[in-house]
Amino acid sequence: MAAFLQKLFKSRKPTAPVRKTTAQAQPVTAPAEDKRAELREQQLQALQAAPTQEVAAGLAIEGITADIRLKAADQLQDAELLQRVQKQAKTRDKGVYQVVRQKLLVIREEQARQEEISGTITALISSARDLAKTDDTKLYDARLDTLLNQWAAVEASASPDQLSELLQSVHRCRERVAGMQAARIEEQRQREQQTQRDETLALMTQTLEELRNQPVEELVSLASLDALQKTQENRWLEATRDTQVEKTEQKAYETAMMTLRSYIAAIRHIGQEKESLHALSVVAEQEDVAPEDRERALALLKEINWPQGFPAPELLVPARKLAGKPKSKPTVKASDDLKQQQATADSLKAVLDKLEEALEARQLKESKQLLKAVQQYQKALDHRHSRSFQARIQLLTAQLRELTDWQGFATEPKQVALCEQMEYLAEQPIEPEAKSERIKELQQEWRDLGGSSDRTLWSRFKQASDKAYEPCKAYFKAKSGLKQANLEKRKAICAELEHFVNDADWSTVDWKAVDRILQTARQEWKSAWPIEFRDNRQVQKQFDDLLHKIEAPLEEEHRKNEALKQAIVEQAQALTEHQPLQEAMNKAKALQSDWKAIGVTRHREDRKLWQAFRKACDEIFARRDTERSEQKQAEKEADIAAEAVVKEVRNIGTDQDVQALEQAASTLGSLDTGSVSSGVKEQIQKEKQRLSLAISTQKLKTSISEWQALVLARTMDETPEEVAFPEKWAALSETLGELDDQELVIRAEILVGVPSPAEDQKKRMEIQVQRLAEGMGSAEKADNPLQSVEAIVASWCLRSTDQPADAALASRLNSALDKLITN
């Protein structure tokens, strides 16, 4: 790739500008023009062959024509390469610069859009997570739908993990929605069942009251009473299915139903023994009654067992007379007081008006109830006051009968259709739960139609219902077995809890384990469902008692630990203003450790205490953050001031004189490095090192210049007494001993690494061998080569001879000193 790029762009390598000459001003020759055309073709072919981004970037800058550069720039997509091309093309090719700049703007806008979408996705995931946990269920469905609509707009940009996280939260939300909907349905079902029970009790109470006021001259229709009993029994059964019924309510129903059954049984026996009762009535008119007739009357009355509180029909009077029983007294009427009679007559008139309106509106149920009220008022009136209402009552009764016949005619096809649906359902292989629910629905529709007085039609519907429910019996029997297994499971839970309570030592018990035992027991108890309600009563009571025995000491432990945590909260709140801050922070950390060491508490109380404790700790550490912020601000200001000084010092070159360098070093030394950042501190340290090195170098140059002048002084026949030498040179000269000038120069060349002339190579080798043998000499053992060289210069300068020093040797020694500076 590198060779290919070099080949493409070799014609655009920059060359040093040269002054135009006459020869250069000549036109380009034909070979150069051909070479340029060939290169253009190569670059065009590279563009057409879908080049890599690197090649396109190179062509955008080095393309031989503007068209090639623009096409190459148009193919660029990589942001980093676009920025590089933009920087290089800014002063070279405005067209390429504008194309690249526009592409970068588009990329940045797309990045900003993607960041906005990413933020929206994160916010929606957080909202879904919060919605799945929130206790606020107001407009829950609408809030979930709004969130899902917002998610649909950004779903395509979400990652699989983000999509999975949101779907999990939405699944939990939908579970909550389903739970709330199920709760509403269950609540509605409970209300409907309560309404059905109330209506059943009201109807049975009203029926029994009517039977107590029934005229003794005629018997009530057995078929209608039997149909009423069956429909109300089914109605009560459905109204109490899968629900809890108050004891008083259940007792009221059982009492009323038992009374009604007794009355129906007595009516049925009277119908069966009607001939016997007529025969006894003939016997009762005779003066002499045989003992066997009396015994027969007693047995018949015992078999009929007429319920107390109801007026006995006339058929029973002869039998009671024979048995020696007094004739039943008619139901006591209302007071004969004139005012009371008038008030009753007014009430009857008002009820008749309402009955007439109900009949006109064809309201059958309400009309029946009003007619019963009319009959009760009529019975309460004496003959004189009731006579004026007879004709109107008979007329309205006839109208009600016609409406009843019409209503029965209208509902009979619907009831026949219900029979057919139930018979069809009985033949279908449906899942038992669903089949049972469908049976209930059809039975509810039958009840909504008001039942049927047609025993044949009712028997047909009942037989179809029993046949349809037959396959469900095995399922519910198995379910009953499950209920028994759950009952045994609950008994086992109670046994384990009782064993734990009896063996627990509350003074040393692990309270966290106790808390877990309670949670596990409740979860397992709840999972042991369904269960028979009646069988569960005793076990539930035992379970509740055992929980109370465990919860009592646990609650005491909760309160003790909550008091400890409350004390920690108060200590933390006191530390919010404590000084010094570091001590307050250390104490807060210690309190956090103490908090963790405290045992179990109630979740809600612990949450409140933790929030208060966390708030106090946040305030403490917020003070630290504030101080850090202030410290950073001060550090920033110090950095600005120090950087200004460093920038000024950087402008001082190393070739300045020693005084200027030392002054700059002094300026840096005056800076307070303790208040600046580490980066600025490092810059200051580097500048100090640079200045220190520059000062040392300048001083060394000055010293070596002085030495070189002294070295040359010997060549001019100046005696040591005529020149001022450094005081330490005498001692340095003695360390080398008596050496001639040649050996001194060779030793200097060896120290600084300068080659000696060819004629002195043998001598140099001897000196090197000698230095090795002597262990490199006392003066040359020093780690500082500068000191060794200075000793050689001292020996050279202080040497007393009659003749001036050799200028060639002096020149070689000064060259060695020059080399020392460059090293």
Side-chain angles (χ1 to χ4, degrees):
M1 179 62 70
F4 178 67
L5 291 173
Q6 184 177 4
K7 182 179 179 181
L8 283 178
F9 310 133
K10 61 185 179 179
S11 66
R12 292 182 60 86
K13 290 182 180 179
T15 56
V18 296
R19 182 178 297 175
K20 292 184 178 180
T21 62
T22 305
Q24 290 172 335
Q26 296 295 326
V28 180
T29 61
E33 194 64 44
D34 293 341
K35 189 175 182 181
R36 179 180 176 84
E38 180 183 357
L39 182 59
R40 182 170 59 252
E41 286 298 324
Q42 291 177 355
Q43 291 182 349
L44 286 172
Q45 290 176 3
L47 277 177
Q48 294 172 358
T52 63
Q53 291 290 289
E54 287 284 349
V55 172
L59 289 172
I61 297 300
E62 303 295 342
I64 198 167
T65 65
D67 184 56
I68 292 175
R69 294 194 294 274
L70 287 173
K71 288 182 179 179
D74 191 55
Q75 293 187 18
L76 284 176
Q77 300 296 333
D78 186 83
E80 183 178 354
L81 292 175
L82 283 169
Q83 289 177 349
R84 188 197 307 170
V85 171
Q86 182 187 30
K87 183 177 179 181
Q88 295 179 0
K90 186 173 183 180
T91 57
R92 300 176 60 180
D93 192 329
K94 293 297 183 181
V96 172
Y97 175 79
Q98 290 298 331
V99 170
V100 172
R101 179 174 173 274
Q102 189 62 33
K103 280 181 167 287
L104 284 173
L105 286 176
V106 172
I107 290 174
R108 291 187 184 112
E109 289 175 357
E110 179 62 21
Q111 289 175 348
R113 190 181 71 84
Q114 291 298 329
E115 290 175 359
E116 182 180 358
I117 292 175
S118 178
T120 302
I121 290 173
T122 303
L124 289 175
I125 292 174
S126 177
S127 298
R129 192 185 305 114
D130 295 340
L131 187 61
K133 298 177 182 178
T134 183
D135 295 331
D136 180 15
T137 58
K138 187 176 181 181
L139 299 176
Y140 197 89
D141 294 356
R143 288 154 61 192
L144 179 58
D145 291 341
T146 301
L147 188 144
L148 291 176
N149 291 335
Q150 293 174 349
W151 175 261
V154 297
E155 183 177 2
S157 302
S159 66
D161 292 340
Q162 290 173 329
L163 180 60
S164 175
E165 185 177 359
L166 181 118
L167 289 178
Q168 289 176 4
S169 299
V170 170
H171 177 67
R172 291 194 294 270
C173 291
R174 285 177 173 160
E175 286 182 342
R176 293 192 65 185
V177 170
M180 289 187 287
Q181 185 176 2
R184 288 195 295 269
I185 293 174
E186 178 64 19
E187 184 180 355
Q188 178 65 23
R189 186 182 70 85
Q190 295 283 351
R191 285 198 299 268
E192 291 177 356
Q193 288 183 321
Q194 184 64 50
T195 301
Q196 292 294 330
R197 294 196 298 271
D198 293 342
E199 292 179 356
T200 300
L201 290 175
L203 180 57
M204 293 185 66
T205 302
Q206 181 181 354
T207 301
L208 292 175
E209 186 63 27
E210 291 175 356
L211 293 175
R212 291 187 179 96
N213 295 321
Q214 178 71 21
V216 297
E217 293 83 4
E218 59 181 16
L219 290 175
V220 181
S221 171
L222 180 61
S224 62
L225 286 178
D226 194 21
L228 176 67
Q229 176 196 348
K230 296 297 183 184
T231 55
Q232 298 310 308
E233 282 180 343
N234 289 334
R235 188 179 188 182
W236 185 265
L237 180 63
E238 293 299 329
T240 56
R241 189 185 298 275
D242 298 330
T243 189
Q244 294 184 359
V245 183
E246 295 291 338
K247 292 182 179 180
T248 56
E249 191 178 14
Q250 182 68 26
K251 186 176 181 181
Y253 167 75
E254 291 173 354
T255 302
M257 184 55 71
M258 187 178 298
T259 303
L260 180 61
R261 287 171 181 168
S262 300
Y263 190 92
I264 293 173
I267 293 294
R268 182 177 289 109
H269 282 99
I270 289 175
Q272 294 171 353
E273 302 295 337
K274 186 175 291 187
E275 293 181 359
S276 300
L277 290 172
H278 282 302
L280 288 175
S281 64
V282 175
V283 175
E285 293 178 356
Q286 300 175 1
E287 293 182 0
D288 296 330
V289 179
E292 57 270 17
D293 292 332
R294 188 178 298 277
E295 290 178 1
R296 187 155 57 96
L298 285 172
L300 190 57
L301 289 174
K302 184 176 181 181
E303 182 180 356
I304 292 173
N305 191 21
W306 186 259
Q308 296 181 357
F310 295 89
E314 290 184 349
L315 282 174
L316 293 181
V317 174
R320 289 191 173 196
K321 184 178 180 181
L322 285 174
K325 293 183 178 181
K327 184 178 179 181
S328 298
K329 295 182 180 181
T331 305
V332 178
K333 294 291 183 178
S335 175
D336 291 336
D337 182 74
L338 184 60
K339 292 182 178 180
Q340 181 66 31
Q341 289 288 314
Q342 187 61 43
T344 304
D346 294 339
S347 300
L348 176 58
K349 184 178 182 302
V351 174
L352 287 172
D353 293 338
K354 292 181 180 179
L355 175 59
E356 190 171 1
E357 293 175 359
L359 288 171
E360 290 178 357
R362 308 186 68 81
Q363 297 174 348
L364 179 60
K365 185 175 181 181
E366 186 176 352
S367 298
K368 287 182 177 181
Q369 295 174 351
L370 290 171
L371 181 60
K372 292 176 182 178
V374 167
Q375 293 172 348
Q376 292 176 359
Y377 282 124
Q378 185 182 17
K379 292 174 183 177
L381 292 175
D382 56 22
H383 180 69
R384 182 171 64 86
H385 286 86
S386 65
R387 184 173 53 188
S388 61
F389 296 103
Q390 285 292 339
R392 189 179 181 188
I393 291 174
Q394 291 176 358
L395 177 61
L396 294 177
T397 303
Q399 292 179 0
L400 177 59
R401 193 178 299 112
E402 291 178 1
L403 180 60
T404 303
D405 294 341
W406 172 254
Q407 190 73 18
F409 176 76
T411 58
E412 183 177 357
K414 297 180 181 178
Q415 291 172 338
V416 171
L418 287 176
C419 291
E420 293 174 352
Q421 291 181 42
M422 188 66 79
E423 289 166 351
Y424 175 78
L425 181 63
E427 303 298 331
Q428 300 304 308
I430 304 175
E431 192 271 333
E433 288 282 358
K435 196 168 190 177
S436 175
E437 289 300 321
R438 181 57 182 158
I439 293 172
K440 292 178 185 178
E441 292 174 1
L442 293 176
Q443 290 174 342
Q444 181 62 42
E445 292 181 20
W446 181 276
R447 287 191 294 271
D448 292 341
L449 292 175
S452 175
S453 58
D454 187 346
R455 295 296 301 169
T456 304
L457 194 59
W458 162 247
S459 298
R460 178 185 175 186
F461 183 77
K462 182 69 168 60
Q463 290 174 2
S465 299
D466 294 341
K467 184 178 179 181
Y469 190 73
E470 189 66 31
C472 302
K473 287 183 178 179
Y475 170 78
F476 288 109
K477 183 178 180 180
K479 192 173 183 180
S480 178
L482 176 62
K483 290 181 179 180
Q484 184 61 34
N486 287 332
L487 179 62
E488 297 300 325
K489 184 177 179 181
R490 289 192 171 188
K491 288 180 179 179
I493 293 172
C494 289
E496 292 178 4
L497 287 178
E498 187 171 6
H499 178 71
F500 171 74
V501 170
N502 294 335
D503 294 348
D505 183 0
W506 299 110
S507 61
T508 60
V509 73
D510 183 356
W511 293 107
K512 290 185 178 180
V514 173
D515 199 13
R516 288 194 297 270
I517 288 172
L518 280 177
Q519 294 178 5
T520 304
R522 288 193 179 97
Q523 292 173 356
E524 292 183 356
W525 187 269
K526 187 176 181 181
S527 65
W529 181 263
I531 192 168
E532 194 63 40
F533 176 73
R534 294 179 180 177
D535 297 339
N536 184 57
R537 288 176 181 172
Q538 186 63 31
V539 184
Q540 184 69 49
K541 184 177 182 301
Q542 182 185 5
F543 181 71
D544 293 339
D545 292 342
L546 289 170
L547 288 187
H548 179 71
K549 291 179 181 179
I550 299 175
E551 287 172 345
L554 180 61
E555 187 68 22
E556 184 179 350
E557 180 69 14
H558 283 166
R559 291 193 177 93
K560 183 186 76 174
N561 292 334
E562 287 164 7
L564 294 175
K565 289 191 174 182
Q566 180 63 40
I568 290 178
V569 170
E570 293 172 356
Q571 294 178 46
Q573 290 172 343
L575 290 174
T576 55
E577 302 295 334
H578 183 77
Q579 292 292 347
L581 176 59
Q582 187 60 43
E583 183 177 339
M585 291 167 56
N586 293 336
K587 289 183 177 180
K589 292 177 182 177
L591 290 177
Q592 290 175 350
S593 300
D594 295 342
W595 181 282
K596 294 178 181 178
I598 295 176
V600 295
T601 55
R602 291 174 294 179
H603 176 71
R604 182 170 297 186
E605 295 300 322
D606 185 78
R607 189 175 178 182
K608 292 179 182 177
L609 292 170
W610 171 251
Q611 289 175 350
F613 180 58
R614 180 66 179 272
K615 181 180 179 182
C617 291
D618 289 344
E619 290 179 4
I620 294 170
F621 290 102
R623 291 170 53 199
R624 177 195 62 182
D625 295 338
T626 301
E627 290 190 2
R628 284 182 176 178
S629 178
E630 294 174 353
Q631 183 179 357
K632 285 185 177 179
Q633 183 62 28
E635 184 180 272
K636 184 177 180 181
E637 294 175 356
D639 284 351
I640 293 173
E643 285 175 345
V645 174
V646 170
K647 184 177 181 181
E648 183 179 352
V649 170
R650 280 201 188 106
N651 295 329
I652 300 176
T654 55
D655 56 350
Q656 298 287 330
D657 57 61
V658 174
Q659 184 178 0
L661 294 172
E662 287 179 344
Q663 184 178 358
S666 176
T667 303
L668 286 178
S670 64
L671 293 176
D672 182 10
T673 56
S675 60
V676 298
S677 64
S678 58
V680 175
K681 186 184 296 184
E682 184 178 354
Q683 295 179 28
I684 295 173
Q685 189 64 28
K686 286 182 178 179
E687 284 302 309
K688 285 183 178 180
Q689 293 174 356
R690 185 180 72 88
L691 293 176
S692 176
L693 179 60
I695 292 171
S696 300
T697 302
Q698 291 298 336
K699 288 182 177 180
L700 177 60
K701 287 181 179 180
T702 303
S703 298
I704 288 178
S705 297
E706 294 175 354
W707 295 352
Q708 289 175 334
L710 293 175
V711 168
L712 292 175
R714 270 198 61 203
T715 62
M716 299 175 183
D717 199 18
E718 293 182 5
T719 62
E721 291 79 6
E722 298 174 352
V723 181
F725 298 107
E727 296 179 357
K728 63 178 180 179
W729 275 20
L732 288 174
S733 174
E734 292 177 359
T735 60
L736 293 177
E738 292 294 333
L739 298 176
D740 58 22
D741 292 346
Q742 182 185 16
E743 187 171 351
L744 288 173
V745 172
I746 293 173
R747 283 180 178 269
E749 290 173 342
I750 292 172
L751 283 172
V752 299
V754 174
S756 301
E759 61 271 14
D760 290 341
Q761 285 296 325
K762 183 178 180 180
K763 181 68 173 178
R764 178 169 178 152
M765 183 63 70
E766 292 175 356
I767 294 172
Q768 287 177 334
V769 172
Q770 182 183 358
R771 291 174 69 243
L772 290 174
E774 293 176 355
M776 298 190 68
S778 59
E780 297 172 17
K781 289 180 183 178
D783 294 334
N784 189 356
L786 180 62
Q787 185 176 357
S788 301
V789 172
E790 186 177 5
I792 292 173
V793 173
S795 296
W796 173 278
C797 295
L798 295 178
R799 185 177 180 81
S800 297
T801 59
D802 296 335
Q803 298 293 331
D806 185 358
L809 291 175
S811 176
R812 285 170 57 188
L813 181 57
N814 282 341
S815 297
L817 291 177
D818 289 336
K819 183 66 175 176
L820 186 63
I821 295 175
T822 58
N823 289 342

